[in-house]
Amino acid sequence: MVKRLIATVFAGLALASSAMAEPLKIGYSDWPGWVTWEIAIEKNMFEEVGVDVEFEWFDYVASMDAFAAGQLDAVTMTNGDALVTGATGAQNVMILINDYSNGNDMIVAAPGISSIKELKGKKVGVEIGFVGHLLLLNALEKNGMTEKDVELVNVPTNETPQVLASSQVDAIVAWQPNSGQALTLVPGSTRIYSSKDEPGLIYDVLAVTPSSLAQHQEEWAKVIKAWDMAVAYLNDESTRDEAISIMAARVGLSPDEYKGFIDGTKIMSTKEAMAFAEKADGFTSIYGSSKIADDFNVANDVYKDAQPIDSYIDMSLMKAAN
């Protein structure tokens, strides 16, 4: 009986040890704020802070699908998409603000159109119900217009350059690299509005399952510590070129091509991001920005019921890092 009890205890310990040995699985995709993680991976920063992680590379939508399917502990996404993912069944908590879009998301107009006001009565290609649509509404509102003043044409973001080039629409809404491809593909096309005109419209975050956050607080705190190390490596003039080369290699571009993408993204340390982590209305707070995204999602039938914003945001680990 004693032998059996001892065997059971050892079996239990073995299982517990096995469970603890599982790395944290994080899905990430092609956005400069998230590609920054590649620096931490390549420079062994996770080993340095003592946390076992496994990063998996996806297309953006596929990363959220994998998270929703329970294949990941965390995923990188926008604050608005964190709400969409939660409202459709995959609860998550945003624990880290990586960046905000600072120009990479843009409205690109065909030759001859140089302002938002000139879009009146024109066709705009945009992925309806997604973040580009929100950017368009913001641009129209700032110019005293509504979406009734334009004709929306639903176009997947990755197809927008070709659709603009085919003259099926007069403008498109897209983020890099698609927006840059449109500018290259259509000579004379112009950026007439971008996320730089409304900083805080789109925050990019690391969102974790509530269960993983509850079980692995210390490990997630170490992940955040590694993030700060990666950002410091990127911002240090002595290592910046190497950091950009690492990021560019991840997405198959030259370092010179990739520098422009970084310029259009305000990549932040946790200390910088804390300025946006306090509760407030409007775009200067992730709470206010998420509320605006939530209103947009409900108004556009992305989901039915308004989401409890506070339950999606936990900035405590970021605060503890400073």
Side-chain angles (χ1 to χ4, degrees):
M1 182 65 182
V2 172
K3 286 183 177 178
R4 186 175 178 182
L5 178 60
I6 292 173
T8 302
V9 168
F10 273 100
L13 289 173
L15 284 172
S17 175
S18 174
M20 289 175 64
E22 284 289 317
L24 298 174
K25 293 184 178 178
I26 302 172
Y28 71 133
S29 54
D30 183 1
W31 173 260
W34 304 324
V35 176
T36 305
W37 286 114
E38 196 69 20
I39 301 169
I41 297 169
E42 291 289 326
K43 302 307 293 184
N44 300 318
M45 292 171 180
F46 294 107
E47 289 88 340
E48 193 171 332
V49 300
V51 63
D52 190 11
V53 297
E54 182 178 304
F55 273 77
E56 297 186 31
W57 182 256
F58 292 91
D59 288 335
Y60 180 51
V61 174
S63 72
M64 291 184 288
D65 288 344
F67 180 79
Q71 298 168 8
L72 301 168
D73 297 300
V75 68
T76 55
M77 53 187 170
T78 70
N79 58 323
D81 284 334
L83 302 178
V84 176
T85 302
T88 52
Q91 290 187 328
N92 62 85
V93 183
M94 296 179 256
I95 65 168
L96 172 65
I97 304 172
N98 299 110
D99 66 86
Y100 61 80
S101 181
N102 196 32
N104 276 347
D105 294 79
M106 62 183 79
I107 300 171
V108 179
I113 299 174
S114 58
S115 70
I116 293 295
K117 289 184 182 298
E118 291 176 44
L119 289 181
K120 190 174 180 63
K122 306 287 188 184
K123 293 181 179 180
V124 181
V126 60
E127 198 158 13
I128 295 173
F130 284 80
V131 67
H133 188 182
L134 180 58
L135 179 72
L136 175 64
L137 294 185
N138 178 270
L140 293 171
E141 182 181 358
K142 280 193 164 183
N143 284 273
M145 301 163 68
T146 72
E147 64 181 337
K148 292 180 180 178
D149 290 308
V150 297
E151 181 180 345
L152 299 185
V153 179
N154 194 24
V155 179
T157 302
N158 64 340
E159 296 178 14
T160 49
Q162 294 74 26
V163 171
L164 183 66
S166 69
S167 300
Q168 296 177 58
V169 297
D170 301 288
I172 56 99
V173 189
W175 61 80
Q176 293 282 23
N178 299 296
S179 51
Q181 290 170 353
L183 288 166
T184 302
L185 195 61
V186 184
S189 60
T190 310
R191 179 180 72 174
I192 58 173
Y193 194 82
S194 81
S195 50
K196 193 170 185 177
D197 295 301
E198 190 63 88
L201 178 68
I202 306 166
Y203 288 100
D204 300 296
V205 304
L206 179 67
V208 182
T209 66
S211 60
S212 182
L213 181 59
Q215 293 172 31
H216 302 291
Q217 285 265 337
E218 289 186 12
E219 288 88 346
W220 286 115
K222 292 176 180 176
V223 169
I224 288 175
K225 188 175 181 181
W227 169 259
D228 274 334
M229 293 168 67
V231 175
Y233 204 83
L234 176 62
N235 290 337
D236 188 327
E237 286 302 319
S238 67
T239 52
R240 185 171 176 81
D241 286 347
E242 182 191 0
I244 292 174
S245 293
I246 290 171
M247 296 170 71
R250 172 67 268 190
V251 299
L253 293 174
S254 72
D256 283 344
E257 288 176 304
Y258 206 71
K259 283 179 181 175
F261 293 3
I262 295 175
D263 291 342
T265 310
K266 179 56 181 174
I267 298 170
M268 298 183 285
S269 66
T270 56
K271 186 175 182 179
E272 293 173 295
M274 285 308 301
F276 309 97
E278 300 299 329
K279 283 189 180 179
D281 295 331
F283 294 114
T284 58
S285 162
I286 192 170
Y287 289 90
S289 172
S290 298
K291 177 63 171 64
I292 292 167
D294 188 49
D295 292 344
F296 165 81
N297 290 336
V298 172
N300 286 278
D301 295 323
V302 177
Y303 49 74
K304 183 178 178 182
D305 298 318
Q307 295 300 293
I309 302 299
D310 286 5
S311 72
Y312 279 86
I313 302 170
D314 182 348
M315 300 281 101
S316 61
L317 293 180
M318 265 184 40
K319 291 179 181 177
N322 291 276

